[in-house]
Amino acid sequence: MQRCVADNITHPSSRGDKKALALLWKEIFGDADAFVNLFFSSMYKPANALIIRDRDTIVSALYILPYRVKIGVRTFPSAYICGVCTRPSERGKGYMKALMQAAMDEIRSKGYVLATLIPANERVRDFYRRISFTLPLNYSVEVCKKHKVLPSNFNFSPSNFYLSPSNFYILHSTFNSSTFNSSMAFAYFDRKQRQRYCTILHKASDFENIIRDLANDGGGVWTVQNDEDCIQAIAFAKPVSKTQCEIAELFSDDCHYEEILVQHIIKELKVKTAIVRHPSKSAENKENNYGLACILNDNLPPVIDLHISLMLD
């Protein structure tokens, strides 16, 4: 049976397969059309997907997305596995195990040094641990409450700039307005993400997809800029309930900018609190697990507190 399943694993081969995979994703995960359309228009490639068919119907699938991982001063090729799914009527037949085995074989053959994923629930997490995904990808959280009064020495003039189909939200430390510069925003983000010791890196195209995904959820990206229009802080945020928002990433040149930026986002999103995610440190109590990783190369530098965020999961 297992041999037969493995022999049925292929890559998608037609536009019809792409449409069928999008429908399967929506059926299994229940994501909004906007997210599914974003994933299959910007992230999906047939060569990066593995499927199992039962006759002419796709019954199971997963996706392998390439990312660079920074460890110390070097970067290496890594893979992010997502969208692992099987039709409910076809579960219990070994499809998920066979797909993951095929995916790991392919990842190793391409020379990736690391594989990461974000389990959907604890039961699935246990399955991944059994197949060598034993390195936890943790984060810590800070709960920030709304302040009634902001410091009087900071004046902000928020502006919205449209880049189809997303809203980019820009903050200035003066009332001067300037056109949003996506390249400048990414350059700042890229410089800050590379200051971390061990992290999954996002390239410019990822940055655009992240912003579109946040906009689809009613959020966006906010920056603080000085009088010379140099970015001093950047935050990626979205509402998660009527009273709370989540800031998945927050970088700044000064912690004072962070406080101001968080408070402005709380105000903009009309919530009472913000949950701010931060990379975990070894000394911290790691209560929040975001994902798992599997190290595929024993010659890597020490993988310590690997951070992963802003994934289209």
Side-chain angles (χ1 to χ4, degrees), residues 54-89:
D54 182 5
R55 299 179 178 84
D56 294 329
T57 302
I58 297 175
V59 295
S60 192
L62 62 72
Y63 308 85
I64 306 168
L65 306 182
Y67 286 86
R68 301 293 294 183
V69 57
K70 179 181 178 291
I71 307 172
V73 297
R74 299 174 61 190
T75 69
F76 305 88
S78 70
Y80 171 59
I81 300 173
C82 65
V84 184
C85 63
T86 300
R87 292 187 184 280
S89 61

PDB file of all heavy atoms in Angstrom, residues 54-89:
ATOM      1  N   ASP A  54      -6.063  10.310  -6.819  1.00  0.00           N
ATOM      2  CA  ASP A  54      -6.844   9.077  -6.848  1.00  0.00           C
ATOM      3  C   ASP A  54      -7.632   9.135  -8.142  1.00  0.00           C
ATOM      4  O   ASP A  54      -8.577   9.908  -8.271  1.00  0.00           O
ATOM      5  CB  ASP A  54      -7.768   8.996  -5.639  1.00  0.00           C
ATOM      6  CG  ASP A  54      -8.571   7.700  -5.617  1.00  0.00           C
ATOM      7  OD1 ASP A  54      -8.327   6.832  -6.488  1.00  0.00           O
ATOM      8  OD2 ASP A  54      -9.446   7.558  -4.761  1.00  0.00           O
ATOM      9  N   ARG A  55      -7.206   8.348  -9.104  1.00  0.00           N
ATOM     10  CA  ARG A  55      -7.688   8.457 -10.479  1.00  0.00           C
ATOM     11  C   ARG A  55      -7.385   9.874 -10.981  1.00  0.00           C
ATOM     12  O   ARG A  55      -6.232  10.242 -11.089  1.00  0.00           O
ATOM     13  CB  ARG A  55      -9.174   8.114 -10.553  1.00  0.00           C
ATOM     14  CG  ARG A  55      -9.481   6.672 -10.106  1.00  0.00           C
ATOM     15  CD  ARG A  55     -10.960   6.362 -10.166  1.00  0.00           C
ATOM     16  NE  ARG A  55     -11.227   4.990  -9.800  1.00  0.00           N
ATOM     17  CZ  ARG A  55     -11.368   4.561  -8.533  1.00  0.00           C
ATOM     18  NH1 ARG A  55     -11.288   5.431  -7.546  1.00  0.00           N
ATOM     19  NH2 ARG A  55     -11.590   3.289  -8.285  1.00  0.00           N
ATOM     20  N   ASP A  56      -8.370  10.683 -11.290  1.00  0.00           N
ATOM     21  CA  ASP A  56      -8.109  12.018 -11.826  1.00  0.00           C
ATOM     22  C   ASP A  56      -8.277  13.123 -10.789  1.00  0.00           C
ATOM     23  O   ASP A  56      -8.198  14.308 -11.120  1.00  0.00           O
ATOM     24  CB  ASP A  56      -9.050  12.302 -13.010  1.00  0.00           C
ATOM     25  CG  ASP A  56      -8.776  11.391 -14.197  1.00  0.00           C
ATOM     26  OD1 ASP A  56      -7.612  10.990 -14.376  1.00  0.00           O
ATOM     27  OD2 ASP A  56      -9.728  11.072 -14.928  1.00  0.00           O
ATOM     28  N   THR A  57      -8.495  12.757  -9.530  1.00  0.00           N
ATOM     29  CA  THR A  57      -8.769  13.748  -8.496  1.00  0.00           C
ATOM     30  C   THR A  57      -7.571  13.907  -7.563  1.00  0.00           C
ATOM     31  O   THR A  57      -7.020  12.907  -7.077  1.00  0.00           O
ATOM     32  CB  THR A  57     -10.001  13.341  -7.667  1.00  0.00           C
ATOM     33  OG1 THR A  57     -11.130  13.202  -8.535  1.00  0.00           O
ATOM     34  CG2 THR A  57     -10.299  14.384  -6.601  1.00  0.00           C
ATOM     35  N   ILE A  58      -7.162  15.151  -7.311  1.00  0.00           N
ATOM     36  CA  ILE A  58      -6.099  15.415  -6.348  1.00  0.00           C
ATOM     37  C   ILE A  58      -6.672  15.247  -4.950  1.00  0.00           C
ATOM     38  O   ILE A  58      -7.642  15.910  -4.575  1.00  0.00           O
ATOM     39  CB  ILE A  58      -5.531  16.836  -6.524  1.00  0.00           C
ATOM     40  CG1 ILE A  58      -4.879  16.986  -7.904  1.00  0.00           C
ATOM     41  CG2 ILE A  58      -4.510  17.148  -5.423  1.00  0.00           C
ATOM     42  CD1 ILE A  58      -4.405  18.393  -8.221  1.00  0.00           C
ATOM     43  N   VAL A  59      -6.079  14.331  -4.177  1.00  0.00           N
ATOM     44  CA  VAL A  59      -6.609  14.039  -2.851  1.00  0.00           C
ATOM     45  C   VAL A  59      -5.690  14.519  -1.729  1.00  0.00           C
ATOM     46  O   VAL A  59      -6.109  14.612  -0.573  1.00  0.00           O
ATOM     47  CB  VAL A  59      -6.871  12.526  -2.684  1.00  0.00           C
ATOM     48  CG1 VAL A  59      -7.961  12.071  -3.642  1.00  0.00           C
ATOM     49  CG2 VAL A  59      -5.598  11.715  -2.877  1.00  0.00           C
ATOM     50  N   SER A  60      -4.436  14.834  -2.050  1.00  0.00           N
ATOM     51  CA  SER A  60      -3.502  15.281  -1.027  1.00  0.00           C
ATOM     52  C   SER A  60      -2.434  16.147  -1.678  1.00  0.00           C
ATOM     53  O   SER A  60      -2.083  15.940  -2.850  1.00  0.00           O
ATOM     54  CB  SER A  60      -2.856  14.067  -0.327  1.00  0.00           C
ATOM     55  OG  SER A  60      -2.175  14.459   0.840  1.00  0.00           O
ATOM     56  N   ALA A  61      -1.915  17.133  -0.921  1.00  0.00           N
ATOM     57  CA  ALA A  61      -0.951  18.071  -1.505  1.00  0.00           C
ATOM     58  C   ALA A  61      -0.119  18.748  -0.429  1.00  0.00           C
ATOM     59  O   ALA A  61      -0.506  18.791   0.747  1.00  0.00           O
ATOM     60  CB  ALA A  61      -1.685  19.131  -2.331  1.00  0.00           C
ATOM     61  N   LEU A  62       1.021  19.258  -0.841  1.00  0.00           N
ATOM     62  CA  LEU A  62       1.815  20.151  -0.006  1.00  0.00           C
ATOM     63  C   LEU A  62       2.659  21.032  -0.915  1.00  0.00           C
ATOM     64  O   LEU A  62       2.787  20.782  -2.121  1.00  0.00           O
ATOM     65  CB  LEU A  62       2.679  19.382   1.008  1.00  0.00           C
ATOM     66  CG  LEU A  62       3.758  18.400   0.527  1.00  0.00           C
ATOM     67  CD1 LEU A  62       4.968  19.088  -0.082  1.00  0.00           C
ATOM     68  CD2 LEU A  62       4.221  17.537   1.709  1.00  0.00           C
ATOM     69  N   TYR A  63       3.272  22.070  -0.302  1.00  0.00           N
ATOM     70  CA  TYR A  63       4.031  23.065  -1.062  1.00  0.00           C
ATOM     71  C   TYR A  63       5.370  23.300  -0.374  1.00  0.00           C
ATOM     72  O   TYR A  63       5.448  23.365   0.861  1.00  0.00           O
ATOM     73  CB  TYR A  63       3.237  24.376  -1.163  1.00  0.00           C
ATOM     74  CG  TYR A  63       1.839  24.136  -1.690  1.00  0.00           C
ATOM     75  CD1 TYR A  63       0.804  23.771  -0.820  1.00  0.00           C
ATOM     76  CD2 TYR A  63       1.559  24.195  -3.052  1.00  0.00           C
ATOM     77  CE1 TYR A  63      -0.461  23.501  -1.290  1.00  0.00           C
ATOM     78  CE2 TYR A  63       0.288  23.919  -3.533  1.00  0.00           C
ATOM     79  CZ  TYR A  63      -0.719  23.572  -2.643  1.00  0.00           C
ATOM     80  OH  TYR A  63      -1.977  23.288  -3.120  1.00  0.00           O
ATOM     81  N   ILE A  64       6.418  23.409  -1.171  1.00  0.00           N
ATOM     82  CA  ILE A  64       7.778  23.629  -0.676  1.00  0.00           C
ATOM     83  C   ILE A  64       8.251  24.979  -1.188  1.00  0.00           C
ATOM     84  O   ILE A  64       8.504  25.141  -2.390  1.00  0.00           O
ATOM     85  CB  ILE A  64       8.730  22.519  -1.141  1.00  0.00           C
ATOM     86  CG1 ILE A  64       8.192  21.135  -0.760  1.00  0.00           C
ATOM     87  CG2 ILE A  64      10.128  22.737  -0.562  1.00  0.00           C
ATOM     88  CD1 ILE A  64       8.929  19.979  -1.426  1.00  0.00           C
ATOM     89  N   LEU A  65       8.368  25.959  -0.293  1.00  0.00           N
ATOM     90  CA  LEU A  65       8.745  27.304  -0.698  1.00  0.00           C
ATOM     91  C   LEU A  65      10.180  27.592  -0.275  1.00  0.00           C
ATOM     92  O   LEU A  65      10.542  27.372   0.886  1.00  0.00           O
ATOM     93  CB  LEU A  65       7.803  28.334  -0.071  1.00  0.00           C
ATOM     94  CG  LEU A  65       6.307  28.114  -0.310  1.00  0.00           C
ATOM     95  CD1 LEU A  65       5.505  29.244   0.321  1.00  0.00           C
ATOM     96  CD2 LEU A  65       6.002  28.019  -1.806  1.00  0.00           C
ATOM     97  N   PRO A  66      11.018  28.087  -1.192  1.00  0.00           N
ATOM     98  CA  PRO A  66      12.421  28.356  -0.848  1.00  0.00           C
ATOM     99  C   PRO A  66      12.605  29.689  -0.129  1.00  0.00           C
ATOM    100  O   PRO A  66      11.999  30.694  -0.496  1.00  0.00           O
ATOM    101  CB  PRO A  66      13.108  28.382  -2.223  1.00  0.00           C
ATOM    102  CG  PRO A  66      12.033  28.829  -3.171  1.00  0.00           C
ATOM    103  CD  PRO A  66      10.735  28.298  -2.632  1.00  0.00           C
ATOM    104  N   TYR A  67      13.415  29.682   0.914  1.00  0.00           N
ATOM    105  CA  TYR A  67      13.814  30.878   1.656  1.00  0.00           C
ATOM    106  C   TYR A  67      15.297  30.763   1.989  1.00  0.00           C
ATOM    107  O   TYR A  67      15.839  29.659   2.046  1.00  0.00           O
ATOM    108  CB  TYR A  67      13.026  31.024   2.963  1.00  0.00           C
ATOM    109  CG  TYR A  67      11.595  31.464   2.796  1.00  0.00           C
ATOM    110  CD1 TYR A  67      10.577  30.539   2.564  1.00  0.00           C
ATOM    111  CD2 TYR A  67      11.240  32.804   2.883  1.00  0.00           C
ATOM    112  CE1 TYR A  67       9.254  30.937   2.418  1.00  0.00           C
ATOM    113  CE2 TYR A  67       9.917  33.217   2.736  1.00  0.00           C
ATOM    114  CZ  TYR A  67       8.936  32.272   2.507  1.00  0.00           C
ATOM    115  OH  TYR A  67       7.630  32.682   2.355  1.00  0.00           O
ATOM    116  N   ARG A  68      15.941  31.889   2.243  1.00  0.00           N
ATOM    117  CA  ARG A  68      17.282  31.882   2.787  1.00  0.00           C
ATOM    118  C   ARG A  68      17.185  31.952   4.311  1.00  0.00           C
ATOM    119  O   ARG A  68      16.324  32.637   4.855  1.00  0.00           O
ATOM    120  CB  ARG A  68      18.101  33.077   2.286  1.00  0.00           C
ATOM    121  CG  ARG A  68      18.268  33.172   0.800  1.00  0.00           C
ATOM    122  CD  ARG A  68      19.112  32.062   0.207  1.00  0.00           C
ATOM    123  NE  ARG A  68      20.507  32.106   0.643  1.00  0.00           N
ATOM    124  CZ  ARG A  68      21.435  31.259   0.195  1.00  0.00           C
ATOM    125  NH1 ARG A  68      21.104  30.310  -0.682  1.00  0.00           N
ATOM    126  NH2 ARG A  68      22.685  31.344   0.626  1.00  0.00           N
ATOM    127  N   VAL A  69      18.059  31.221   4.985  1.00  0.00           N
ATOM    128  CA  VAL A  69      18.134  31.310   6.432  1.00  0.00           C
ATOM    129  C   VAL A  69      19.487  31.918   6.791  1.00  0.00           C
ATOM    130  O   VAL A  69      20.524  31.522   6.249  1.00  0.00           O
ATOM    131  CB  VAL A  69      17.958  29.929   7.101  1.00  0.00           C
ATOM    132  CG1 VAL A  69      18.987  28.913   6.617  1.00  0.00           C
ATOM    133  CG2 VAL A  69      18.008  30.047   8.620  1.00  0.00           C
ATOM    134  N   LYS A  70      19.479  32.903   7.660  1.00  0.00           N
ATOM    135  CA  LYS A  70      20.708  33.545   8.129  1.00  0.00           C
ATOM    136  C   LYS A  70      21.108  32.925   9.453  1.00  0.00           C
ATOM    137  O   LYS A  70      20.326  32.886  10.399  1.00  0.00           O
ATOM    138  CB  LYS A  70      20.514  35.046   8.299  1.00  0.00           C
ATOM    139  CG  LYS A  70      21.754  35.774   8.814  1.00  0.00           C
ATOM    140  CD  LYS A  70      21.494  37.256   8.980  1.00  0.00           C
ATOM    141  CE  LYS A  70      22.720  37.969   9.543  1.00  0.00           C
ATOM    142  NZ  LYS A  70      22.994  37.602  10.954  1.00  0.00           N
ATOM    143  N   ILE A  71      22.332  32.427   9.508  1.00  0.00           N
ATOM    144  CA  ILE A  71      22.895  31.872  10.734  1.00  0.00           C
ATOM    145  C   ILE A  71      24.257  32.514  10.926  1.00  0.00           C
ATOM    146  O   ILE A  71      25.166  32.292  10.125  1.00  0.00           O
ATOM    147  CB  ILE A  71      23.027  30.340  10.672  1.00  0.00           C
ATOM    148  CG1 ILE A  71      21.697  29.693  10.281  1.00  0.00           C
ATOM    149  CG2 ILE A  71      23.518  29.790  12.003  1.00  0.00           C
ATOM    150  CD1 ILE A  71      21.793  28.201  10.016  1.00  0.00           C
ATOM    151  N   GLY A  72      24.387  33.328  11.946  1.00  0.00           N
ATOM    152  CA  GLY A  72      25.627  34.069  12.130  1.00  0.00           C
ATOM    153  C   GLY A  72      25.792  35.107  11.038  1.00  0.00           C
ATOM    154  O   GLY A  72      24.910  35.925  10.795  1.00  0.00           O
ATOM    155  N   VAL A  73      26.898  35.049  10.326  1.00  0.00           N
ATOM    156  CA  VAL A  73      27.169  36.022   9.259  1.00  0.00           C
ATOM    157  C   VAL A  73      26.897  35.434   7.880  1.00  0.00           C
ATOM    158  O   VAL A  73      27.078  36.121   6.866  1.00  0.00           O
ATOM    159  CB  VAL A  73      28.627  36.515   9.334  1.00  0.00           C
ATOM    160  CG1 VAL A  73      28.877  37.257  10.640  1.00  0.00           C
ATOM    161  CG2 VAL A  73      29.621  35.362   9.175  1.00  0.00           C
ATOM    162  N   ARG A  74      26.439  34.194   7.806  1.00  0.00           N
ATOM    163  CA  ARG A  74      26.240  33.523   6.524  1.00  0.00           C
ATOM    164  C   ARG A  74      24.761  33.238   6.287  1.00  0.00           C
ATOM    165  O   ARG A  74      23.962  33.183   7.229  1.00  0.00           O
ATOM    166  CB  ARG A  74      27.041  32.212   6.472  1.00  0.00           C
ATOM    167  CG  ARG A  74      28.538  32.384   6.622  1.00  0.00           C
ATOM    168  CD  ARG A  74      29.218  31.032   6.715  1.00  0.00           C
ATOM    169  NE  ARG A  74      29.005  30.231   5.514  1.00  0.00           N
ATOM    170  CZ  ARG A  74      29.329  28.924   5.415  1.00  0.00           C
ATOM    171  NH1 ARG A  74      29.838  28.281   6.453  1.00  0.00           N
ATOM    172  NH2 ARG A  74      29.113  28.273   4.283  1.00  0.00           N
ATOM    173  N   THR A  75      24.401  33.062   5.016  1.00  0.00           N
ATOM    174  CA  THR A  75      23.048  32.634   4.679  1.00  0.00           C
ATOM    175  C   THR A  75      23.106  31.319   3.910  1.00  0.00           C
ATOM    176  O   THR A  75      24.079  31.035   3.207  1.00  0.00           O
ATOM    177  CB  THR A  75      22.293  33.687   3.846  1.00  0.00           C
ATOM    178  OG1 THR A  75      22.885  33.772   2.540  1.00  0.00           O
ATOM    179  CG2 THR A  75      22.328  35.053   4.521  1.00  0.00           C
ATOM    180  N   PHE A  76      22.033  30.542   4.050  1.00  0.00           N
ATOM    181  CA  PHE A  76      21.980  29.209   3.454  1.00  0.00           C
ATOM    182  C   PHE A  76      20.594  28.982   2.854  1.00  0.00           C
ATOM    183  O   PHE A  76      19.617  29.607   3.274  1.00  0.00           O
ATOM    184  CB  PHE A  76      22.239  28.142   4.524  1.00  0.00           C
ATOM    185  CG  PHE A  76      23.512  28.292   5.293  1.00  0.00           C
ATOM    186  CD1 PHE A  76      23.551  29.079   6.435  1.00  0.00           C
ATOM    187  CD2 PHE A  76      24.674  27.656   4.879  1.00  0.00           C
ATOM    188  CE1 PHE A  76      24.720  29.216   7.164  1.00  0.00           C
ATOM    189  CE2 PHE A  76      25.850  27.793   5.596  1.00  0.00           C
ATOM    190  CZ  PHE A  76      25.885  28.574   6.736  1.00  0.00           C
ATOM    191  N   PRO A  77      20.490  28.066   1.880  1.00  0.00           N
ATOM    192  CA  PRO A  77      19.167  27.751   1.315  1.00  0.00           C
ATOM    193  C   PRO A  77      18.351  26.897   2.277  1.00  0.00           C
ATOM    194  O   PRO A  77      18.868  25.948   2.875  1.00  0.00           O
ATOM    195  CB  PRO A  77      19.506  26.979   0.034  1.00  0.00           C
ATOM    196  CG  PRO A  77      20.837  26.355   0.311  1.00  0.00           C
ATOM    197  CD  PRO A  77      21.578  27.328   1.192  1.00  0.00           C
ATOM    198  N   SER A  78      17.093  27.247   2.435  1.00  0.00           N
ATOM    199  CA  SER A  78      16.204  26.482   3.300  1.00  0.00           C
ATOM    200  C   SER A  78      14.851  26.344   2.622  1.00  0.00           C
ATOM    201  O   SER A  78      14.565  27.010   1.618  1.00  0.00           O
ATOM    202  CB  SER A  78      16.053  27.157   4.665  1.00  0.00           C
ATOM    203  OG  SER A  78      15.306  28.347   4.554  1.00  0.00           O
ATOM    204  N   ALA A  79      14.013  25.499   3.186  1.00  0.00           N
ATOM    205  CA  ALA A  79      12.685  25.254   2.613  1.00  0.00           C
ATOM    206  C   ALA A  79      11.618  25.425   3.682  1.00  0.00           C
ATOM    207  O   ALA A  79      11.795  25.023   4.832  1.00  0.00           O
ATOM    208  CB  ALA A  79      12.615  23.849   2.034  1.00  0.00           C
ATOM    209  N   TYR A  80      10.509  26.027   3.277  1.00  0.00           N
ATOM    210  CA  TYR A  80       9.342  26.179   4.145  1.00  0.00           C
ATOM    211  C   TYR A  80       8.233  25.308   3.562  1.00  0.00           C
ATOM    212  O   TYR A  80       7.819  25.491   2.406  1.00  0.00           O
ATOM    213  CB  TYR A  80       8.925  27.645   4.192  1.00  0.00           C
ATOM    214  CG  TYR A  80       7.609  27.916   4.889  1.00  0.00           C
ATOM    215  CD1 TYR A  80       7.411  27.547   6.218  1.00  0.00           C
ATOM    216  CD2 TYR A  80       6.568  28.558   4.221  1.00  0.00           C
ATOM    217  CE1 TYR A  80       6.205  27.811   6.858  1.00  0.00           C
ATOM    218  CE2 TYR A  80       5.361  28.830   4.863  1.00  0.00           C
ATOM    219  CZ  TYR A  80       5.188  28.456   6.179  1.00  0.00           C
ATOM    220  OH  TYR A  80       4.001  28.714   6.817  1.00  0.00           O
ATOM    221  N   ILE A  81       7.761  24.344   4.339  1.00  0.00           N
ATOM    222  CA  ILE A  81       6.707  23.433   3.893  1.00  0.00           C
ATOM    223  C   ILE A  81       5.365  23.953   4.417  1.00  0.00           C
ATOM    224  O   ILE A  81       5.218  24.227   5.607  1.00  0.00           O
ATOM    225  CB  ILE A  81       6.950  22.007   4.423  1.00  0.00           C
ATOM    226  CG1 ILE A  81       8.300  21.478   3.917  1.00  0.00           C
ATOM    227  CG2 ILE A  81       5.821  21.074   3.992  1.00  0.00           C
ATOM    228  CD1 ILE A  81       8.691  20.145   4.534  1.00  0.00           C
ATOM    229  N   CYS A  82       4.410  24.109   3.542  1.00  0.00           N
ATOM    230  CA  CYS A  82       3.109  24.634   3.969  1.00  0.00           C
ATOM    231  C   CYS A  82       1.987  23.965   3.179  1.00  0.00           C
ATOM    232  O   CYS A  82       2.220  23.252   2.199  1.00  0.00           O
ATOM    233  CB  CYS A  82       3.058  26.156   3.790  1.00  0.00           C
ATOM    234  SG  CYS A  82       3.150  26.715   2.076  1.00  0.00           S
ATOM    235  N   GLY A  83       0.767  24.223   3.609  1.00  0.00           N
ATOM    236  CA  GLY A  83      -0.405  23.727   2.888  1.00  0.00           C
ATOM    237  C   GLY A  83      -0.508  22.223   2.822  1.00  0.00           C
ATOM    238  O   GLY A  83      -1.075  21.677   1.860  1.00  0.00           O
ATOM    239  N   VAL A  84       0.012  21.523   3.830  1.00  0.00           N
ATOM    240  CA  VAL A  84      -0.059  20.054   3.833  1.00  0.00           C
ATOM    241  C   VAL A  84      -1.499  19.650   4.131  1.00  0.00           C
ATOM    242  O   VAL A  84      -2.039  19.965   5.186  1.00  0.00           O
ATOM    243  CB  VAL A  84       0.893  19.458   4.885  1.00  0.00           C
ATOM    244  CG1 VAL A  84       0.885  17.934   4.799  1.00  0.00           C
ATOM    245  CG2 VAL A  84       2.304  20.003   4.708  1.00  0.00           C
ATOM    246  N   CYS A  85      -2.125  18.946   3.189  1.00  0.00           N
ATOM    247  CA  CYS A  85      -3.540  18.636   3.384  1.00  0.00           C
ATOM    248  C   CYS A  85      -3.958  17.373   2.641  1.00  0.00           C
ATOM    249  O   CYS A  85      -3.340  16.987   1.646  1.00  0.00           O
ATOM    250  CB  CYS A  85      -4.414  19.809   2.926  1.00  0.00           C
ATOM    251  SG  CYS A  85      -4.281  20.195   1.169  1.00  0.00           S
ATOM    252  N   THR A  86      -5.001  16.748   3.163  1.00  0.00           N
ATOM    253  CA  THR A  86      -5.612  15.571   2.543  1.00  0.00           C
ATOM    254  C   THR A  86      -7.127  15.705   2.668  1.00  0.00           C
ATOM    255  O   THR A  86      -7.626  16.137   3.713  1.00  0.00           O
ATOM    256  CB  THR A  86      -5.165  14.267   3.247  1.00  0.00           C
ATOM    257  OG1 THR A  86      -3.747  14.139   3.150  1.00  0.00           O
ATOM    258  CG2 THR A  86      -5.821  13.045   2.600  1.00  0.00           C
ATOM    259  N   ARG A  87      -7.828  15.346   1.640  1.00  0.00           N
ATOM    260  CA  ARG A  87      -9.286  15.388   1.711  1.00  0.00           C
ATOM    261  C   ARG A  87      -9.773  14.523   2.883  1.00  0.00           C
ATOM    262  O   ARG A  87      -9.262  13.410   3.098  1.00  0.00           O
ATOM    263  CB  ARG A  87      -9.911  14.862   0.414  1.00  0.00           C
ATOM    264  CG  ARG A  87      -9.676  15.758  -0.783  1.00  0.00           C
ATOM    265  CD  ARG A  87     -10.449  15.273  -2.002  1.00  0.00           C
ATOM    266  NE  ARG A  87     -10.126  16.102  -3.157  1.00  0.00           N
ATOM    267  CZ  ARG A  87     -10.660  17.300  -3.403  1.00  0.00           C
ATOM    268  NH1 ARG A  87     -11.564  17.782  -2.554  1.00  0.00           N
ATOM    269  NH2 ARG A  87     -10.307  17.987  -4.458  1.00  0.00           N
ATOM    270  N   PRO A  88     -10.761  14.999   3.622  1.00  0.00           N
ATOM    271  CA  PRO A  88     -11.237  14.235   4.789  1.00  0.00           C
ATOM    272  C   PRO A  88     -11.616  12.793   4.459  1.00  0.00           C
ATOM    273  O   PRO A  88     -11.345  11.885   5.243  1.00  0.00           O
ATOM    274  CB  PRO A  88     -12.454  15.045   5.249  1.00  0.00           C
ATOM    275  CG  PRO A  88     -12.154  16.445   4.809  1.00  0.00           C
ATOM    276  CD  PRO A  88     -11.426  16.315   3.507  1.00  0.00           C
ATOM    277  N   SER A  89     -12.210  12.582   3.300  1.00  0.00           N
ATOM    278  CA  SER A  89     -12.644  11.227   2.933  1.00  0.00           C
ATOM    279  C   SER A  89     -11.484  10.293   2.628  1.00  0.00           C
ATOM    280  O   SER A  89     -11.667   9.066   2.560  1.00  0.00           O
ATOM    281  CB  SER A  89     -13.567  11.298   1.708  1.00  0.00           C
ATOM    282  OG  SER A  89     -12.873  11.848   0.594  1.00  0.00           O
TER     283      SER A  89
END
